[in-house]
Amino acid sequence: MNTNQTSNSQQPPKENSSAKNTAVDSHTVQTVAPQTDERTALVEGRRKISVARARLERLFDDGTMEEIGAEVTHRATDFGLEKRRIPGDGVVTAAGLVDGRPVYAFAQDRTVLGGSLGQAHAQKIVRLQDLALRAGAPLIAVNDSGGARIQEGVDALGGYGEIFRRNVQSSGVIPQISIIAGPCAGGAVYSPALTDFVGMVEGSSFMFLTGPKVVKTVTFEDVTVEELGGATTHAYKTGVSHFAWKNDLEAIDNTRKLLSYLPSNNRENPPFIEPEDDVERMDPKFHDVVPSNTRQPYDVRKLVALVADKDSFFEVHENWAKNIVVGFARLGGHVIGIVANQPQEMAGVLDIDASRKAARFIRTCNGYHIPIVSLIDVPGFLPGRTQEHAGVIDHGAKLLYAYCEATVPKLSVIIRKSYGGAYIVMSSKHVGGDINLAWPDAEIAVMGAKGAVEVLNRRDIAAADDPEAKQEELIQAYEDKFLNPNIAAQRGYLDAVIEPHETRRKLYRYLRVMLNKREWMPPKRHGNIPT
Ligand code: HXC
């Protein structure tokens, strides 16, 4: 593995409205004629951090980047550090515009003392965090660091503490996005974990509290960087990373795109983009995408594509907990957050990871005025010892908590089925859903017909002359009575039963009249979300 390489030459960036057309080679070395010794040192420093600088130049709109504190150096003298004083101290801190809006960003460079964070390096980041918060502008962190600079001891540890505290102060006020662009350890992963989004570059970025060398000395375990903390681990297994990007360019272009769905701060609304397609579009394809047999799988992302404005869906946590799909989209130009059960993965059942994933996304939407649209097709929570022992009670409750806590507009459509606890949790009227819709064949019940009949009628079936026929008869009676949206609609738990082909139009019309929703929770210091 060559950890010093960025992989921007591997593949072109995805088609992306926010992507810039000018390709920047992140290995570009700026050559400036030295004039004095001091100038030589500065230029040498800049040359060394040119990868980091090029990453930021790619992030900002062309020609808008202004660097802050480029000449800062550390003052440490231990372990020979006095001979390794590099202007900038291994981090480029800057401000500029992204799609015309102010954004602050820093990029670390592992070619300077492993990108490690000493006191001066930390002070530069802290200053940027303070400026971003004051200016009400997003902060982007390009992390490429071995963590606290060992030679600077407690000054380095303290530096991370200052950064973490500001990460938390900024949480829910300004969007914070972390790109992991190389091997990152210690504070260089804890700070990202405190931000709204983390994205990794496949094959060249890694996240761990302690690297393989330290693991080996402590536990004698041999483990590769990829296994310990590559994108295959964090974007697929742990969910620590929301995105796995193919190379640096894709990482940066997708970060620009992600910003286009977010407001600059929690006092603003997300940017509106005039839709190209008809918001009143009534599409017969809704019937084709969803099979009427509730046991037959389908890809709910096809349904999302029919509901959302053309090509507007931006999936988050695409590779983790695939039994639920979350992401941003636009509906009639307005940003919405989609939460959709995914019938083609584990029948769309809710489990620990799905609950954590959706809960986190809902809280992000709620923090930034993004209405939540839930597309529901869920058989319930996954039963069993594995889930119970891993704490599904608490993790499932996180999802419940997030829906109950969210005060943004909450709209939902029950597509085919919504059973048991999952019915209540998934944006039901009872937990504060604003607009609740269902397709005409939607099944809403405590459980499916077969299970219900087994619980309620076991003795009747056993006593019958023809137990099988009796069971069929009872199942049919249960289905006729419960497995439709009628009772819920009559009780007012559903606001309307809609035809599948009018789903986009109806959601848009209800969204339009909910956009100015204001709802407040009782005054409190903060709630206490389950662990
Ligand atoms: C000082 C560091 C450093 C660090 C790396 N370097 N990490 N210098 N402090 N924390 C230096 C190396 O000495 C080396 O310098 C250069 O960076 C490249 O490092 P390599 O090990 O050669 O690179 P690589 O093989 O790619 O491995 C990268 C790595 C590894 C996986 C990140 O360096 C590593 O494990 N570092 C330690 C990580 C760690 O445990 N950090 C925890 C810090 S505690 P030369 O001069 O030889 O090129 C922390 C506190 C906060 O952060 C905790 C929050 C809760």
Side-chain angles (χ1 to χ4, degrees), residues 9 24 79 87 100-101 133 154 169 178 180 200 229 239 271 291 307 396 497:
S9 55
V24 173
F79 301 98
R101 294 189 298 163
L133 189 59
V154 70
Q169 282 172 343
S178 300
I180 309 298
M200 296 182 74
V307 167
V497 176

Side-chain angles (χ1 to χ4, degrees), residues 40-172:
T40 308
L42 180 63
V43 170
E44 174 65 10
R46 288 215 171 128
R47 191 189 67 76
K48 276 194 164 254
I49 55 175
S50 64
V51 173
R53 184 170 289 106
R55 284 172 173 156
L56 293 190
E57 275 168 0
R58 174 83 195 182
L59 173 72
F60 292 118
D61 296 345
D62 291 338
T64 64
M65 172 171 144
E66 288 298 338
E67 220 171 308
I68 296 166
E71 302 185 23
V72 169
T73 57
H74 71 73
R75 284 169 289 175
T77 52
D78 293 324
F79 301 98
L81 273 191
E82 69 280 6
K83 297 191 198 106
R84 304 179 74 182
R85 220 163 252 154
I86 308 287
D89 204 33
V91 61
V92 183
T93 44
L97 302 178
V98 172
D99 286 335
R101 294 189 298 163
V103 167
Y104 289 72
F106 70 84
Q108 297 171 308
D109 194 309
R110 66 179 167 277
T111 67
V112 179
L113 297 165
S116 61
L117 179 137
Q119 190 184 33
H121 183 124
Q123 272 174 356
K124 286 182 69 178
I125 294 175
V126 161
R127 170 127 177 83
L128 203 72
Q129 289 178 300
D130 288 342
L131 285 175
L133 189 59
R134 270 183 235 156
L139 182 68
I140 313 301
V142 184
N143 296 270
D144 196 350
S145 164
R149 187 173 295 159
I150 298 162
Q151 303 92 318
E152 292 200 40
V154 70
D155 284 332
L157 295 176
Y160 264 126
E162 299 286 341
I163 291 169
F164 298 158
R165 184 159 60 88
R166 283 166 177 80
N167 282 138
V168 174
Q169 282 172 343
S170 297
S171 182

Side-chain angles (χ1 to χ4, degrees), residues 202-469:
E202 281 175 1
S204 63
S205 78
F206 312 98
M207 300 177 79
F208 22 68
L209 289 188
T210 47
K213 288 169 196 156
V214 182
V215 171
K216 176 82 176 166
T217 59
V218 177
T219 67
F220 308 108
E221 198 184 349
D222 278 311
V223 60
T224 64
V225 276
E226 183 62 38
E227 196 187 347
L228 194 61
T232 46
T233 298
H234 290 310
Y236 292 76
K237 288 188 192 140
T238 67
V240 165
S241 180
H242 298 78
F243 306 102
W245 291 310
K246 296 219 162 2
N247 51 50
D248 272 25
L249 291 190
E250 200 178 294
I252 290 169
D253 290 348
N254 275 290
T255 301
R256 285 174 60 87
K257 186 161 185 190
L258 176 56
L259 282 170
S260 75
Y261 293 92
L262 300 169
S264 292
N265 57 64
N266 65 340
R267 295 181 305 278
E268 293 182 4
N269 287 324
F272 172 86
I273 294 183
E274 198 66 54
E276 287 171 18
D277 46 351
D278 181 8
V279 284
E280 300 273 321
R281 188 179 64 214
M282 304 248 261
D283 204 325
K285 287 202 209 91
F286 278 103
H287 296 271
D288 306 335
V289 162
V290 181
S292 52
N293 178 351
T294 57
R295 288 172 183 276
Q296 220 173 310
Y298 64 94
D299 185 354
V300 77
R301 286 171 300 191
K302 291 186 180 158
L303 189 60
V304 172
L306 293 176
V307 167
D309 294 352
K310 191 164 173 288
D311 298 329
S312 71
F313 185 50
F314 185 84
E315 192 167 350
V316 174
H317 267 144
E318 181 181 347
N319 304 303
W320 177 60
K322 290 180 175 181
N323 41 331
I324 202 155
V325 168
V326 303
F328 299 110
R330 288 196 173 76
L331 183 56
H334 303 284
V335 176
I336 55 171
I338 297 273
V339 179
N341 308 111
Q342 173 58 292
Q344 75 172 13
E345 291 286 335
M346 298 162 67
V349 75
L350 286 177
D351 62 357
I352 289 174
D353 287 350
S355 302
R356 289 179 55 212
K357 170 172 160 177
R360 167 76 180 180
F361 183 71
I362 289 165
R363 298 190 96 217
T364 304
C365 290
N366 194 46
Y368 293 112
H369 297 285
I370 298 173
I372 297 155
V373 173
S374 303
L375 301 176
I376 300 162
D377 194 344
V378 61
F381 275 94
L382 180 63
R385 183 170 27 196
T386 312
Q387 289 284 302
E388 296 289 354
H389 286 194
V392 68
I393 296 173
D394 269 354
H395 294 297
K398 280 180 187 152
L399 181 56
L400 185 52
Y401 195 105
Y403 268 119
C404 290
E405 178 190 48
T407 54
V408 290
K410 289 179 281 191
L411 292 78
S412 68
V413 188
I414 301 176
I415 304 298
R416 290 195 308 189
K417 60 184 175 301
S418 190
Y419 286 133
Y423 159 75
I424 309 169
V425 170
M426 294 286 304
S427 200
S428 70
K429 193 65 90 193
H430 323 281
V431 298
D434 294 302
I435 299 294
N436 295 75
L437 310 173
W439 285 11
D441 293 333
E443 301 176 356
I444 303 171
V446 174
M447 61 178 73
K450 196 157 181 282
V453 164
E454 261 161 36
V455 173
L456 295 177
N457 306 104
R458 194 164 30 94
R459 285 191 202 87
D460 304 331
I461 294 168
D465 293 340
D466 183 348
E468 225 168 88

